């Protein structure tokens, strides 16, 4: 007995669900990356502040060094330049702090927006998909076992809707008890079809 892909509606449902999950995860990651870049762009003023402060501090320190060479009053003239250079360095540090804060914020918010969509996949879709894989694998093993057809037919009798069972035979339970091959095959195929599998000889 060979196993092929499931009847079309079940296979299509599985395929569409898997494709939706892939698109969902891709969209969530793309949005998180976009959000990260958008927030990171807010660090541009901090970069400019750091550059301006650093450049001004270097210029003031250089000017103070030159003024310091003036005889007698050089040390007194250097002090204001040194204080101004320190203030400019503080401005540059503020720019660096702003960039670091924005970078941390961008990373934190990007991770936060990924938690919900990825959590839904890991908690909602993945366990169901793994459960289906286990059940389909067990059914596939049964379908290839010597007495597997009978077990699958029994499961179909216990779990399939009565309308479907009635379409197989007027007294499907009696036909199964007699070991009617056509009935057993139809019941086994019905159960395999529920799991997305198809039995074929």
């Amino acid at each position: 007995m060979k196993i092929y892909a499931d009847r079309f509606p079940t296979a299509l449902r599985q395929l569409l669900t898997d494709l939706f999950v892939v698109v969902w995860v891709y969209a969530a990651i793309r949005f998180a990356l976009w959000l990260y870049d958008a927030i990171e762009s807010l660090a541009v003023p901090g970069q400019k502040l750091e550059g301006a402060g650093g450049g001004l501090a270097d210029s003031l320190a250089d000017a103070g060094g030159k003024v310091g060479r003036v005889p007698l009053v050089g040390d007194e003239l250097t002090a204001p330049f040194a204080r101004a250079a320190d203030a400019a360095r503080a401005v540059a540090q503020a720019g660096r702090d702003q960039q670091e804060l924005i970078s941390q914020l961008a990373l934190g918010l990007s991770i936060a927006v990924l938690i919900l969509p990825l959590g839904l996949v890991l908690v909602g879709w993945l366990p169901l998909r793994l459960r289906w894989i286990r059940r389909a694998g067990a059914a596939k093993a049964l379908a290839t076992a010597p007495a597997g057809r009978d077990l699958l037919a029994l499961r179909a009798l216990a779990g399939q809707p009565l309308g479907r069972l009635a379409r197989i035979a007027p007294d499907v339970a009696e036909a199964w008890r007699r070991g009617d091959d056509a009935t057993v095959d139809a019941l086994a195929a019905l159960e395999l079809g529920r799991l997305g599998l198809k039995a074929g000889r």
Side-chain angles (χ1 to χ4, degrees), residues 12-177:
L12 180 62
R13 187 165 55 250
Q14 290 285 355
L15 177 63
L16 291 178
T17 302
D18 292 346
L19 287 177
F20 175 78
V21 169
V22 170
V23 172
W24 173 267
V25 171
Y26 175 78
I29 292 173
R30 292 293 302 171
F31 177 73
L33 292 174
W34 172 85
L35 181 64
Y36 181 85
D37 291 338
I39 297 174
E40 273 287 324
S41 67
L42 300 177
V44 173
Q47 295 169 358
K48 293 181 178 179
L49 194 62
E50 180 186 3
L56 182 59
D58 292 341
S59 299
L60 289 170
D62 185 54
K66 291 177 180 177
V67 170
R69 292 196 292 268
V70 175
L72 301 177
V73 295
D75 291 341
E76 295 179 8
L77 293 176
T78 301
F81 286 95
R83 287 194 295 271
D86 289 341
R89 291 189 190 94
V91 170
Q93 183 60 46
R96 285 191 291 271
D97 292 342
Q98 182 188 16
Q99 293 174 68
E100 184 178 350
L101 177 63
I102 288 175
S103 181
Q104 292 174 354
L105 180 65
L107 181 61
L109 288 178
S110 299
I111 292 174
V113 300
L114 280 176
I115 290 175
L116 178 61
L118 296 185
L120 288 175
V121 169
L122 293 175
V123 175
W125 172 81
L126 187 58
L128 293 176
R129 195 70 170 97
L130 293 176
R131 178 183 170 194
W132 177 84
I133 290 172
R134 286 195 300 269
R135 293 172 66 186
K140 180 177 179 180
L142 275 178
T144 57
R149 274 189 329 135
D150 291 330
L151 291 173
L152 288 171
L154 179 60
R155 187 172 175 86
L157 282 173
Q160 291 288 338
L162 294 177
R164 289 183 183 175
L165 296 175
R167 286 195 292 268
I168 294 175
D171 192 351
V172 65
E174 175 60 27
W176 173 77
R177 278 194 293 268

